[in-house]
Amino acid sequence: SGRCRYYCAQDCFKKHWKKHKLAHKPWAAAIEIATPLGDAARVMPDCFRGYVDWTGTLRPWARPAVDGTAERLGRLPANVAKPDYAPHGQPISEQADRRNRSIRKYEPKHVDGIREACRVGREVLDAAGRAVRAGVTTAEIDRVTYEATVERGAYPSPLNYYNFPCAVCTSVNEVICHGIPDLRPLEEGDVVNVDVSVFLNGYHGDLNETFVVGKAADEDLNLVETAFRCLMAGADLIKPGTTYRSVGAVVDKLAKSRGCSVVKTYCGHGIGELFHTAPNVPHYAKNKAVGVMEPGHIFTIEPMINVGGWRDKTWPDDWTAVTADGSRSAQFEHTFLVTADGYEILTMRENEPRMVWDLAKQQR
């Protein structure tokens, strides 16, 4: 509540300690994340011990020692619906669906549920985006994401998905995707992608944006704008009868025309009751995606665009994907619904039915 509370005696304090501790945890996390730790913050997680195959200049920093996965799961309000992987890290329903090639056509009641999840995801990404600035750690962006998600009665979809340890992915500079938030403060000129997904009342919503911290090089500004325009180009194809494989051709052509390349390892995906499902939506030309768009299909388009080559490598944390040549990467993502005459962007800001490039919205 923000008010000071006092205990009448030691026995009273002990009696109410569990409840007090739950209330105290978020504040402990905020203090630990915001307080400079000096050289201790630069200590890499154990999985990087002896690793030398860095492709760029970015290095992982320590992660917060408080408010880990178990603590966050433990203090979720009882009314927050959890995906099946929350307790143990294994998305069993998604794994069972893996061989499925059929694309679900959602009925209006399900579309309404997914639309609401996407609306909440939009609010959460906007909150996380406001936290982006020089000197702020990506761990702080993760904390803001978790709190903003839970405040809205939702579950942060990345948390414990295949044991991912955070509520959001933050991908800085040469990191393509799935960056794990840590105690490294953002620096002037950084390019950072914030990838938010939420699970609300049985449905997932997924979106991301790339932000520029302070002043950036012209090459980086071109990269971020190219990533945005590649998503626009893919979205312009959405209508009944479009093949999913055709999205990659237009994205690839645009990226190359602006001196960039398209990552081939990761693709857009169906979403709804499952975090990832059919269809697959590759972003490069001459792909082998199957399926044709029909009204009621819901999926993401999320081209990952590099300044240099398209190839990627994965860090020893088994999550962080980086460019193989150390060049910078950027990405934008929306969740789309195919309608009878085109599409609806379920994750768009209110009163912005179509995408329009505006650097001011991405610069911090």
Side-chain angles (χ1 to χ4, degrees), residues 301-340:
I301 299 178
E302 47 187 295
M304 298 160 215
I305 308 300
N306 299 344
V307 170
W310 62 267
R311 299 182 185 277
D312 63 277
K313 294 183 64 173
T314 304
W315 277 358
D317 58 19
D318 293 330
W319 278 108
T320 307
V322 297
T323 56
D325 58 9
S327 63
R328 290 192 169 189
S329 187
Q331 179 190 17
F332 288 83
E333 174 187 21
H334 276 306
T335 297
F336 297 92
L337 165 69
V338 183
T339 63

Side-chain angles (χ1 to χ4, degrees), residues 80-96:
V80 171
K82 306 174 187 64
D84 64 353
Y85 53 82
H88 45 67
Q90 296 301 308
I92 296 170
S93 299
E94 190 174 302
Q95 291 168 345

Side-chain angles (χ1 to χ4, degrees), residues 162-228:
Y162 286 108
N163 305 120
F164 189 80
C166 295
V168 67
C169 298
T170 53
S171 301
V172 180
N173 296 341
E174 69 262 30
V175 178
I176 297 169
C177 61
H178 304 156
I180 299 176
D182 60 25
L183 292 173
R184 176 190 179 271
L186 293 172
E187 299 176 358
E188 182 87 4
D190 278 347
V191 170
V192 55
N193 178 269
V194 180
D195 193 344
V196 165
S197 310
V198 305
F199 183 73
L200 179 71
N201 299 327
Y203 301 103
H204 294 272
D206 193 5
L207 71 162
N208 73 55
E209 293 187 11
T210 298
F211 300 96
V212 177
V213 181
K215 294 182 180 179
D218 289 344
E219 182 180 65
D220 294 335
L221 296 178
N222 177 68
L223 167 68
V224 176
E225 181 177 351
T226 298
F228 185 92

Side-chain angles (χ1 to χ4, degrees), residues 5-268:
R5 296 187 181 274
Y6 300 92
Y7 292 94
C8 56
Q10 185 69 15
D11 288 344
C12 179
F13 178 80
K14 290 179 179 178
K15 180 180 178 181
H16 294 92
W17 167 242
K18 287 186 177 180
K19 185 179 293 186
H20 173 78
K21 182 171 67 173
L22 288 175
H24 177 71
K25 281 290 185 182
W27 295 102
I31 293 169
E32 198 254 2
I33 290 166
T35 302
L37 299 178
D39 291 340
R42 294 178 177 270
V43 177
M44 298 182 194
D46 289 343
C47 63
F48 291 96
R49 190 171 296 163
Y51 185 71
V52 296
D53 294 330
W54 309 105
T55 64
T57 59
L58 189 74
R59 299 291 183 271
W61 285 39
R63 299 173 195 159
V66 298
D67 206 30
T69 299
E71 293 165 309
R72 286 181 168 185
L73 291 173
R75 62 185 177 87
L76 281 172
N79 66 322
V80 171
K82 306 174 187 64
D84 64 353
Y85 53 82
H88 45 67
Q90 296 301 308
I92 296 170
S93 299
E94 190 174 302
Q95 291 168 345
D97 182 71
R98 189 167 290 162
R99 293 180 181 274
N100 174 40
R101 292 295 183 92
S102 63
I103 303 169
R104 180 168 177 180
K105 295 173 66 174
Y106 285 96
E107 298 295 327
K109 66 176 182 179
H110 300 295
V111 171
D112 288 344
I114 299 170
R115 183 182 286 112
E116 181 63 10
C118 289
R119 185 192 66 78
V120 167
R122 175 78 261 172
E123 290 184 0
V124 172
L125 178 55
D126 288 345
R130 286 192 293 271
V132 174
R133 62 183 182 276
V136 170
T137 68
T138 50
E140 170 65 3
I141 297 169
D142 174 55
R143 187 191 68 80
V144 169
T145 301
Y146 176 85
E147 300 297 344
T149 303
V150 173
E151 283 174 5
R152 290 162 175 79
Y155 179 97
S157 299
L159 184 63
N160 216 30
Y161 178 76
Y162 286 108
N163 305 120
F164 189 80
C166 295
V168 67
C169 298
T170 53
S171 301
V172 180
N173 296 341
E174 69 262 30
V175 178
I176 297 169
C177 61
H178 304 156
I180 299 176
D182 60 25
L183 292 173
R184 176 190 179 271
L186 293 172
E187 299 176 358
E188 182 87 4
D190 278 347
V191 170
V192 55
N193 178 269
V194 180
D195 193 344
V196 165
S197 310
V198 305
F199 183 73
L200 179 71
N201 299 327
Y203 301 103
H204 294 272
D206 193 5
L207 71 162
N208 73 55
E209 293 187 11
T210 298
F211 300 96
V212 177
V213 181
K215 294 182 180 179
D218 289 344
E219 182 180 65
D220 294 335
L221 296 178
N222 177 68
L223 167 68
V224 176
E225 181 177 351
T226 298
F228 185 92
R229 294 192 180 279
C230 282
L231 176 55
M232 287 177 63
D236 285 345
L237 289 183
I238 300 175
K239 63 181 180 180
T242 298
T243 61
Y244 283 101
R245 68 174 177 270
S246 63
V247 172
V250 298
V251 170
D252 207 6
K253 182 179 179 179
L254 178 57
K256 288 177 179 176
S257 74
R258 295 177 62 91
C260 298
S261 65
V262 180
V263 174
K264 298 183 179 182
T265 304
Y266 305 97
C267 62

